Amino acid sequence: QKEVEQNSGPLSVPEGAIASLNCTYSDRGSQSFFWYRQYSGKSPELIMFIYSNGDKEDGRFTAQLNKASQYVSLLIRDSQPSDSATYLCAVIPNTGNQFYFGTGTSLTVIP
Amino acid sequence: ETGVTQTPRHLVMGMTNKKSLKCEQHLGHNAMYWYKQSAKKPLELMFVYNFKEQTENNSVPSRFSPECPNSSHLFLHLHTLQPEDSALYLCASSLRQVVNQPQHFGDGTRLSIL
């Protein structure tokens, strides 16, 4: 079983809509969750991270954790074409001290 | 502009060549990482250095040899690579290797093995 799974997409949303990206993880005791954005040909860029104690909002981005169902979501409000990228989820399981990445979800925001 | 710089950005080499990838971070971090990113696969952690000491080697073949002379510099020495080693190699750093520290990535080296 993969540690972290993401739907590869592509996910397409119209400009101004809410984009919702999900990531499931296998280790129930995971404590730290990270979202990265990767433009084509570029490095992953940290967007935000949350711990198991709560959700976080930062500008147009909100990260939400559902511990019971073992998934973490990234919501992007008022989506812009510049948000078009691959979004990588990373989780640090309770059993170790290294990141486990998902394969990423490709998001396209249509003008 | 990234605080983690990788060179070269692109590298084409034959299977018998020896080359090195370089990573430098200007963030004052003490942990550095090498990842491999292949199409349709998750990022694969290769090596971790924390305060210049190697702390992780994820069963990486010996044709990849890391070197960390100080907390700001990380190298990946390559020799006798295989075609399946063609990928994007990413360097990352974090303040230290602890559970909740975010990692910051360089732009990567795109490696092609002929």
Side-chain angles (χ1 to χ4, degrees), chain A residues 43-44 98-101, chain B residues 4-11 19-25 30-38 42-50 52-61 63-78 81 85 87-94 97 103-111:
Chain A
S43 63
Q98 62 173 273
F99 280 43
Y100 287 91
F101 283 86
Chain B
V4 181
T5 304
Q6 290 187 243
T7 54
R9 293 295 311 278
H10 302 274
L11 179 61
K19 296 287 185 182
S20 296
L21 310 184
K22 179 183 176 182
C23 175
E24 183 175 0
Q25 58 93 3
N30 295 294
M32 297 187 77
Y33 311 77
W34 279 118
Y35 286 89
K36 177 183 179 182
Q37 188 175 34
S38 304
L43 270 79
E44 301 172 49
L45 179 66
M46 300 174 71
F47 302 103
V48 182
Y49 280 82
N50 195 39
K52 299 190 299 178
E53 298 297 321
Q54 186 179 132
T55 57
E56 300 284 344
N57 177 339
N58 272 7
S59 302
V60 181
R63 57 186 184 268
F64 295 92
S65 175
E67 178 189 359
C68 187
N70 54 60
S71 293
S72 299
H73 294 85
L74 184 65
F75 296 89
L76 188 62
H77 303 300
L78 316 171
L81 294 193
D85 297 323
L88 180 67
Y89 288 83
L90 290 163
C91 173
S93 70
S94 64
Q97 190 194 4
Q103 297 181 12
H104 300 266
F105 287 84
D107 281 337
T109 295
R110 175 71 61 184
L111 177 64

Side-chain angles (χ1 to χ4, degrees), chain A residues 32-92:
Chain A
S32 306
F33 309 88
F34 301 78
W35 282 102
Y36 286 83
R37 176 177 63 200
Q38 187 173 24
Y39 293 112
S40 180
K42 294 292 188 179
S43 63
E45 171 192 9
L46 181 68
I47 298 175
M48 62 193 312
F49 58 97
I50 59 172
Y51 303 130
S52 59
N53 58 350
D55 303 339
K56 182 189 285 187
E57 181 177 320
D58 184 0
R60 297 187 295 112
F61 298 92
T62 299
Q64 298 176 326
L65 177 63
N66 185 319
K67 285 194 283 188
S69 299
Q70 293 180 227
Y71 72 85
V72 57
S73 300
L74 178 69
L75 303 177
I76 306 175
R77 290 181 298 280
D78 188 24
S79 296
Q80 302 297 308
S82 58
D83 295 326
S84 298
T86 297
Y87 289 80
L88 302 174
C89 170
V91 176
I92 300 179

